[in-house]
Amino acid sequence: MATKSSADGLRIRRVYEAPESSDGARVLVDRLWPRGLSKEDAELTEWCKAVAPSTDLRRWYRHEPERFAEFADRYREELARDADAGEALHHLRELADDGPMTLLTATKDLAHGHVQILLEELRATG
């Protein structure tokens, strides 16, 4: 299992992994719905598309690890610049303040995905 967890109650997991009681609020942070997954099986608290990278940024990145540093910079700029993303980020901070929260993504490589950057942003300002 590719779960990352910490003492602050924030963690990231693949949405395809079976839900666990320790997940707390389960928030999908991808722009697109994960292939082959029913909404019932996902057991989401909510789907927060607004914090996902733009389609253009996702297409440019193509999950190529050598582009990750630049992707991270561009994604952070999007989060800072887009009002909807800013509101959604604030909402995620509030959810995290209420208890454990798991950010979910379909991305296979969690260490080089937007969810890793999102987790860092939540921790830095939380």
Side-chain angles (χ1 to χ4, degrees):
M1 178 167 40
T3 301
K4 291 189 177 189
S5 186
S6 74
D8 62 9
L10 293 171
R11 67 185 199 167
I12 59 177
R13 299 181 68 210
R14 292 200 69 224
V15 68
Y16 297 108
E17 296 174 24
E20 296 177 356
S21 59
S22 60
D23 284 346
R26 292 174 48 85
V27 182
L28 179 63
V29 293
D30 288 348
R31 190 165 301 277
L32 304 174
W33 186 261
R35 292 181 190 193
L37 183 68
S38 73
K39 292 191 179 186
E40 295 78 30
D41 288 343
E43 294 185 32
L44 298 180
T45 303
E46 64 184 76
W47 181 10
C48 189
K49 297 181 215 179
V51 295
S54 67
T55 299
D56 288 342
L57 183 56
R58 279 187 308 105
R59 288 181 178 157
W60 171 84
Y61 178 43
R62 295 189 315 257
H63 292 282
E64 295 178 13
E66 62 275 5
R67 291 184 173 190
F68 184 70
E70 186 174 349
F71 168 76
D73 290 342
R74 290 182 182 194
Y75 178 47
R76 284 186 175 99
E77 287 174 15
E78 283 188 355
L79 289 173
R81 175 178 72 230
D82 184 90
D84 290 338
E87 287 179 29
L89 197 56
H90 178 74
H91 173 68
L92 290 178
R93 286 184 189 107
E94 289 177 339
L95 273 179
D97 287 344
D98 290 340
M101 181 173 66
T102 301
L103 302 175
L104 300 166
T105 183
T107 304
K108 291 179 183 176
D109 183 358
L110 295 178
H112 294 103
H114 76 285
V115 70
Q116 182 65 42
I117 299 156
L118 187 55
L119 182 69
E120 291 169 6
E121 288 296 307
L122 288 169
R123 285 185 173 145
T125 57

